[in-house]
Amino acid sequence: MGVGAAFVPHKSFWSEESESYGTNVFRSVLEGNPDFCMFLANHWSYTGIGWSSGLISCEQSINDSLDMADYNPSVKTGINLDAAAYLMITESNPEVITRLKRYLAQGKVEIIGGTYGQPLGSMVSGESNIRQLTIGQQTIQKALGVTVSAFLEEEEFTHPQMPQLLKGAGFRFASSAQCNTCGKHGSPPLNLNVFLWKGIDGTCIPTTPINGLVFHPPVVTHDMDWLWSPEGRNRLEELRHLGMPLAIKWVEFGWGPNELLGNTANKFFATKFKQVSEEFTVQYTTLTEYLDKYGVQVKEPVQWRMDDFHKLLPWGSGGDRLRREGREIEALLTAAERFDAAASLLKLAKGQELDLDIAWKHLLIAQSHDASLCEDFAGYPIRDPEALKFLAATGTKEENDNVTTWGAMGLRHMAVARKLGQQILDVALRSISTKIDTATGSHGEIAAIVFNPGASVNNAIVCASITSLKVTEGTGVIVRDSRGRLVPSQIVKSDNKGDSETESVIFQTRQLPSFGYVTYYFDTLKPEKTMPLSDLLTSESGWKMENDLVSVELDAFNGALSRLYDRKLGIDMIDGKRLPFPVFSGKPNRKLANNAPEEYDSLHSEADISWVEQGLVRATIKVVHLWPMMRFEHWITLHAGQPGVEVRIRVSADV
């Protein structure tokens, strides 16, 4: 990767013709149209790599970017740090931020990207995508006084919904010119200079693509030399016929002094850009300046499907745990927000917006690409004073002493987010439930209040713990509504807490009032009681299940969905013969797995299929394909009264 350190530029790199910064003494673009425009993009982050190297590495990365504008030629840099880092530097070294603000105001640099924690965007949910962008913008506005106009992250963060999300978060422009650093971002290459990226909802945003003029770290340091090779000149000529080309060079300032690049990376790249300017007429520009001039005229939209992206997104040891726990905590925080708002609107409790904001930020930090890789950079000082400060709010000294890897740091932040979210939710639920009389007209040992915070009437499946009920062998649990009528229910077991199983009851609710509640009652099941029927039916032979809305059937050989029938519309939602779902295929690396087959193919592999549940409320079928070095399994679940079919998939490699 590109390396760098802050330093005082040598006199020979300054303009000899003018004391002002940025005077180009090589070839003036004012004499005519430039051959192409060029933009330098610098990536660094505090969460992960900066945490190992210390916050000073983030300060250095910013200073190196600003120094590039002071050399001749004056190169404009887009700085891509996690938003949290800017706010931390305002406290640790305000002089750096003061200088950065001055250069931003003069148009010598710009902030690009703008996410709060630099996640791999395709691997976190839509809600976290939104929060990363909006909270990132708010944080940068607070720290630097600017709104980020051009979205370009070095790490993977592209998918078909981006135009809508970016416009909604205040971005004007975008670029898909990301780096293949810890995987492959997979954005489709285009033979264009600029295109109008059209999202699924129809939102459009001017965007620069991957087009052959994007130069990446980490290995190649002389890659810009390609520009004056015959192939490079031909590529420039092709793109010039389509308009004004833009070359983007990615660097990573912040690593520290490196002898390979002449001790300091920005001095090395100043020399490289001098060579470029001697060979071509170049206009150095920010991404926003380029798109402001050349992007607004683009009219023809380009719309991508997810299948158009060819992504390869790896996860380190335990990375799957971070992803799964992140989804759980996000659901918890979303629920906490809703019920906190409800309790506040009902004047039953004081709103906890500040604590919610803190909890969300801990979750967004934990979604960092570095934390997801769970890497341990041996030899780096992970006990830098700023690293200790970063952890100070996340746990006890004993807990934080065990945080020695990026992945462990992510889990610690997630733990804080979970704890805060649960506290906020408990307070909100308690404040609402204590105002409801459940004793008068009781129909069971325990009362459960089901509150609908939404704006519309809802049918739902509710899951509640029954640990406080004395359920003995041969007995079960019945659920009654507020009128004493039996409700379809089912006891389920869960081992999500570890080795010990916990019992819960799930039951079907209908017509939950908007922003209102219904009280249900639990009681131990009497032998003479008959459970009410539901619309959920399962087959005695074969792998079929249905309710009033949908009918599901699995292929008896491979376990894939062969039929998903909408009973209301009278149509099959999938073509099970041509495109069954889900299926898994791929070729193993036989150099690492000699006993692996030539190809994995679940479509032509016999599966082990079994019923996990066949209840009144929920039915689940489990499908397992077990191959040498690989296990592919999925669960198909259908609930009573629900129009959706739940499909959970897990792929496990024997490594």
Side-chain angles (χ1 to χ4, degrees):
M1 297 184 179
V3 300
F7 69 106
V8 178
H10 191 275
K11 176 76 172 175
S12 63
F13 282 90
W14 294 75
S15 167
E16 301 294 342
E17 296 184 358
S18 171
E19 294 182 359
S20 64
Y21 299 157
T23 305
N24 191 330
V25 299
F26 302 112
R27 298 173 67 181
S28 173
V29 299
L30 299 178
E31 298 173 0
N33 289 329
D35 296 323
F36 59 91
C37 294
M38 193 151 203
F39 171 61
L40 179 65
N42 169 41
H43 166 81
W44 198 249
S45 61
Y46 183 72
T47 305
I49 190 169
W51 179 70
S52 297
S53 303
L55 190 59
I56 191 172
S57 67
C58 298
E59 299 166 3
Q60 171 190 307
S61 186
I62 292 173
N63 275 325
D64 283 357
S65 298
L66 303 182
D67 288 344
M68 291 302 301
D70 292 345
Y71 294 131
N72 194 333
S74 179
V75 177
K76 298 185 177 183
T77 305
I79 304 175
N80 173 216
L81 273 65
D82 39 0
Y86 300 114
L87 206 54
M88 296 175 70
I89 296 171
T90 60
E91 299 179 6
S92 69
N93 198 333
E95 292 82 3
V96 172
I97 297 300
T98 299
R99 186 186 179 203
L100 174 57
K101 286 181 176 179
R102 185 170 73 250
Y103 280 54
L104 286 168
Q106 295 170 351
K108 296 178 180 179
V109 296
E110 73 170 327
I111 306 299
I112 58 173
T115 61
Y116 189 79
Q118 292 184 339
L120 302 179
S122 295
M123 300 300 284
V124 298
S125 78
E127 184 63 35
S128 285
N129 268 233
I130 295 170
R131 304 281 178 151
Q132 288 284 358
L133 296 170
T134 56
I135 294 178
Q137 283 278 33
Q138 293 165 6
T139 303
I140 291 171
Q141 181 66 42
K142 180 179 179 181
L144 303 178
V146 298
T147 299
V148 184
S149 62
F151 182 79
L152 174 57
E153 290 277 4
E154 183 193 64
E155 305 299 336
E156 186 280 328
F157 203 132
T158 47
H159 50 73
Q161 293 84 357
M162 288 305 296
Q164 178 185 6
L165 300 185
L166 292 175
K167 280 293 189 72
F171 293 88
R172 298 171 53 216
F173 305 116
S175 177
S176 61
Q178 299 181 278
C179 288
N180 295 326
T181 52
C182 302
K184 185 177 181 181
H185 64 85
S187 296
L190 291 177
N191 189 35
L192 296 170
N193 295 308
V194 184
F195 68 102
L196 201 59
W197 187 1
K198 183 178 181 181
I200 291 176
D201 72 322
T203 301
C204 294
I205 188 167
T207 305
T208 67
I210 293 285
N211 61 3
L213 295 184
V214 181
F215 306 108
H216 295 179
V219 180
V220 284
T221 54
H222 298 274
D223 53 351
M224 288 188 294
D225 296 351
W226 177 85
L227 283 169
W228 47 85
S229 69
E231 183 183 1
R233 291 182 183 276
N234 288 338
R235 185 64 182 146
L236 276 173
E237 190 62 29
E238 291 172 2
L239 290 172
R240 278 186 62 83
H241 284 299
L242 301 173
M244 177 57 65
L246 173 69
I248 298 177
K249 170 59 187 171
W250 277 103
V251 295
E252 289 189 351
F253 295 143
W255 282 102
N258 185 284
E259 294 180 2
L260 174 66
L261 301 185
N263 194 43
T264 48
N266 55 9
K267 184 174 181 179
F268 169 84
F269 282 109
T271 302
K272 295 303 298 180
F273 284 115
K274 178 180 178 181
Q275 294 172 356
V276 173
S277 293
E278 288 172 337
E279 191 72 25
F280 300 97
T281 302
V282 184
Q283 181 175 353
Y284 296 100
T285 177
T286 65
L287 187 57
T288 294
E289 286 174 343
Y290 174 82
L291 285 165
D292 254 333
K293 184 171 183 179
Y294 301 107
V296 293
Q297 306 98 319
V298 182
K299 303 300 180 185
E300 292 298 321
V302 174
Q303 191 170 36
W304 285 329
R305 306 163 303 150
M306 195 65 216
D307 286 349
D308 295 324
F309 292 84
H310 299 286
K311 296 182 181 292
L312 177 62
L313 305 178
W315 291 84
S317 174
D320 185 58
R321 177 186 170 190
L322 276 163
R323 180 172 60 85
R324 288 184 288 109
E325 288 197 18
R327 295 294 177 96
E328 294 173 7
I329 295 167
E330 181 187 278
L332 172 65
L333 295 183
T334 304
E337 275 187 332
R338 283 189 162 194
F339 286 102
D340 180 66
S344 179
L345 287 170
L346 293 170
K347 301 187 185 305
L348 299 176
K350 184 180 179 181
Q352 302 177 79
E353 295 90 346
L354 292 179
D355 284 343
L356 277 166
D357 183 62
I358 293 171
W360 272 109
K361 286 176 178 176
H362 277 290
L363 175 60
L364 299 181
I365 286 172
Q367 292 172 341
S368 162
H369 59 281
D370 279 348
S372 298
L373 292 168
C374 301
E375 290 187 35
D376 182 3
F377 259 38
Y380 278 79
I382 60 174
R383 280 294 173 259
D384 176 85
E386 290 297 336
L388 291 173
K389 182 179 178 182
F390 194 52
L391 284 174
T394 68
T396 65
K397 181 180 184 301
E398 290 74 21
E399 288 172 325
N400 290 335
D401 280 345
N402 294 320
V403 180
T404 57
T405 67
W406 299 346
M409 179 181 64
L411 290 171
R412 168 103 325 262
H413 281 284
M414 280 191 177
V416 175
R418 187 192 292 275
K419 183 178 180 180
L420 275 174
Q422 192 63 58
Q423 289 173 348
I424 294 166
L425 181 60
D426 289 345
V427 168
L429 292 177
R430 194 178 304 115
S431 66
I432 295 172
S433 61
T434 53
K435 297 297 182 180
I436 298 173
D437 178 11
T438 60
T440 304
S442 174
H443 296 289
E445 297 177 44
I446 297 177
I449 301 164
V450 181
F451 190 94
N452 176 16
S456 59
V457 175
N458 242 331
N459 296 329
I461 302 297
V462 178
C463 180
S465 171
I466 56 173
T467 53
S468 57
L469 280 173
K470 295 180 180 179
V471 181
T472 60
E473 188 175 350
T475 66
V477 173
I478 57 174
V479 180
R480 296 187 182 95
D481 64 16
S482 57
R483 297 183 183 181
R485 297 172 300 187
L486 287 174
V487 174
S489 63
Q490 175 182 342
I491 292 180
V492 296
K493 295 182 183 295
S494 170
D495 60 357
N496 290 337
K497 302 292 184 183
D499 294 333
S500 60
E501 288 188 331
T502 59
E503 284 194 335
S504 301
V505 63
I506 55 175
F507 58 96
Q508 187 178 6
T509 67
R510 294 184 180 274
Q511 298 297 297
L512 285 175
S514 62
F515 203 69
Y517 69 92
V518 175
T519 304
Y520 291 87
Y521 296 89
F522 303 161
D523 208 345
T524 51
L525 178 67
K526 305 297 189 297
E528 67 274 11
K529 289 290 183 181
T530 303
M531 292 293 288
L533 296 177
S534 72
D535 67 336
L536 181 60
L537 301 173
T538 59
S539 63
E540 294 296 330
S541 61
W543 309 104
K544 302 176 184 178
M545 46 189 171
E546 66 177 28
N547 59 26
D548 287 344
L549 302 172
V550 291
S551 176
V552 178
E553 184 173 352
L554 274 64
D555 187 287
F557 176 74
N558 57 40
L561 278 171
S562 59
R563 191 166 191 249
L564 178 57
Y565 186 73
D566 187 316
R567 302 183 69 185
K568 295 296 183 183
L569 296 177
I571 58 173
D572 258 326
M573 304 302 290
I574 66 171
D575 184 346
K577 291 184 179 180
R578 190 172 65 90
L579 292 172
F581 176 85
V583 294
F584 179 88
S585 64
K587 293 184 177 181
N589 184 341
R590 295 181 60 80
K591 293 180 180 179
L592 302 177
N594 294 329
N595 62 333
E598 290 292 336
E599 185 174 5
Y600 297 119
D601 182 6
S602 67
L603 195 60
H604 299 96
S605 167
E606 185 173 7
D608 179 12
I609 310 174
S610 60
W611 285 104
V612 177
E613 301 168 309
Q614 285 180 281
L616 291 171
V617 182
R618 187 169 73 191
T620 300
I621 301 173
K622 182 179 180 180
V623 179
V624 179
H625 289 268
L626 188 58
W627 304 301
M629 306 297 291
M630 182 68 70
R631 180 186 180 95
F632 170 60
E633 54 191 15
H634 61 265
W635 295 261
I636 310 292
T637 298
L638 182 65
H639 288 89
Q642 297 296 303
V645 177
E646 181 181 295
V647 181
R648 291 173 293 151
I649 302 170
R650 177 172 291 178
V651 179
S652 303
D654 184 7
V655 292

